[in-house]
Amino acid sequence: MIGAASHSAAPDAASQAARVRDAINQGQMSPLQIRTVLLCALLNVMDGYDIMAMVFTASAISTAWSLSGTQLGLLLSAGMVGMAFGSVLITPLADRLGRKAIVQLSLAVITAGMAYSALTQSFQEMAVARLVTGLGVGGLVPGLSVIVAEFSSDKWRGGAVSFMGVGYTFGAVLGGLAAGELLSSYGWHSVFAVGAMATFALMLAVWLWLPESVDFLLQKQPRNALPKLNRILSAIGAPTLQSMEAPNQQQAQAGGLRSLLTPPLRRLSLQLWCVSFLVLMCAYFVISWTPRLLVLSGLSQSQSIIGGVLLNSGGVIGCLLFGWLATRVRAQSITLVYFGIGLLSLLTLSQFHNQLMLAFALTLLIGICLFGAIAGINTLAPAIYPAANRSSGVGMVTGIGRLGGILSPALTGVMVDAGQPIGALYIYYCVPLAAAAVLMWSLRHAQSQYGSV
């Protein structure tokens, strides 16, 4: 299991940061901390809308521009490609410029991408607009996980991170409902225009109400760090500081992507990257192909849609259940259980995919386990990386995971065209999930930078 970092042996220069961190870890969730979690969850709701806007408008845009299936597929993939690059290129800047600054930058990029999407007149323009939107979302979402983790107490950290993660699914649902009304009344351009305006409004809310990370303020000590830190400490009921001790210079200069592969972090980084890649590879196979495979198994189109709804509903249940369990059990233990049950469910579905009620039940269970496992990764990654590397580390974990999400739908299409049996496909994707479980188990001795995780 991931153990708590020992502060008793820390040098004097780190004692102030340790005391502040302990005040957050062991204290009650103050109104400021709750507001921060809720604001990050709301930002994730908007991200769900922004990314799924292309899905909601795909049919209308395809008809309007007479797109081929390949062109439509590229538009649907452009956002995911942008998200992968945003996670790797934008999120790590938060370790140098601040968590709040990168959240604002990412929201500005999303706003620009959504506004451009609303004004596009061709396939090429829309492809660029979706790539830009994806870059912003990719830079934002990992940063939200870091902020929520840093502002949550030990007891509520897993619950807060998983609650924030559910926001994406709610955003997709709300976006679907809104898109139906907007498409019929104002056309597909309005779906993107509303997204741009709402994202801009949230950018203003972040400027007004989102606090900067205490870990960043203590470690990097930017201009006016002390008054900013004291406002946060006062709001959470912790003693304020008269002055700030000099940070550990070695740690303060250790941020950035290159530091993730230095000896202290190399093994942890490689293991987390592999876990994220393998889990999202499996998850996006299930998300992208299960409705289609259910049709190929002999179910009707309407029945396959029910299967897709059950899968995403399972994702909401899995994240919320993870959050509730994480207040009582270590997050890593819960994640391993999700892996085990998900693996058994995939194996069972490979044999019974053409039996309606059993296939539905297994699809719901798979959604619970895979989305719950992703919530576990999102909780563990910020806990393992030190403050100086946290945004870089989480950004890389998320970005590399999304590469798996990009690869698996295309790889599955090749296997389907090659005539692979449906049951065999589910068995094949048990392999990456089993490998991810082994790697997660091997992380049990990793040290947490917070309390118990």
Side-chain angles (χ1 to χ4, degrees), residues 129-297:
R130 299 314 299 159
L131 184 65
V132 171
T133 303
L135 279 170
V137 174
L140 176 64
V141 174
L144 297 180
S145 297
V146 171
I147 291 170
V148 169
E150 290 182 338
F151 272 96
S152 298
S153 65
D154 283 350
K155 180 178 180 180
W156 294 105
R157 184 168 293 114
V161 172
S162 59
F163 173 76
M164 185 215 73
V166 173
Y168 187 93
T169 306
F170 280 121
V173 173
L174 291 173
L177 296 173
E181 294 295 326
L182 291 169
L183 281 168
S184 60
S185 300
Y186 305 104
W188 65 262
H189 295 86
S190 65
V191 176
F192 297 101
V194 168
M197 290 185 287
T199 305
F200 180 75
L202 285 175
M203 186 167 61
L204 296 178
V206 165
W207 179 68
L208 290 171
W209 295 312
L210 186 71
E212 182 55 272
S213 156
V214 293
D215 297 76
F216 175 80
L217 293 173
L218 285 163
Q219 188 65 57
K220 295 296 184 178
Q221 297 190 10
R223 185 180 179 183
N224 297 323
L226 182 59
K228 291 178 181 178
L229 180 60
N230 278 335
R231 282 195 294 270
I232 296 171
L233 294 177
S234 178
I236 67 175
T240 57
L241 306 177
Q242 296 299 316
S243 62
M244 298 182 70
E245 297 173 348
N248 184 309
Q249 290 301 316
Q250 184 177 1
Q251 291 181 5
Q253 297 171 5
L257 296 177
R258 187 178 301 176
S259 66
L260 302 178
L261 292 176
T262 55
L265 295 174
R266 183 185 299 129
R267 181 179 175 184
L268 286 174
S269 294
L270 292 175
Q271 286 176 300
L272 279 171
W273 295 351
C274 289
V275 167
S276 184
F277 180 90
L278 294 168
V279 171
L280 267 74
M281 184 180 184
C282 184
Y284 275 89
F285 154 68
V286 173
I287 293 168
S288 302
W289 276 95
T290 290
R292 177 59 180 162
L293 294 178
L294 290 176
V295 171
L296 295 177
S297 297

Side-chain angles (χ1 to χ4, degrees), residues 285-337:
F285 154 68
V286 173
I287 293 168
S288 302
W289 276 95
T290 290
R292 177 59 180 162
L293 294 178
L294 290 176
V295 171
L296 295 177
S297 297
L299 303 186
S300 69
Q301 187 68 42
S302 60
Q303 289 170 335
S304 73
I305 292 173
I306 294 173
V309 171
L310 287 171
L311 183 66
N312 286 285
S313 299
V316 175
I317 296 170
C319 289
L320 292 176
L321 180 61
F322 177 90
W324 179 75
L325 291 172
T327 64
R328 296 160 173 80
V329 185
R330 287 182 181 255
Q332 191 185 37
S333 300
I334 304 167
T335 307
L336 285 171
V337 171

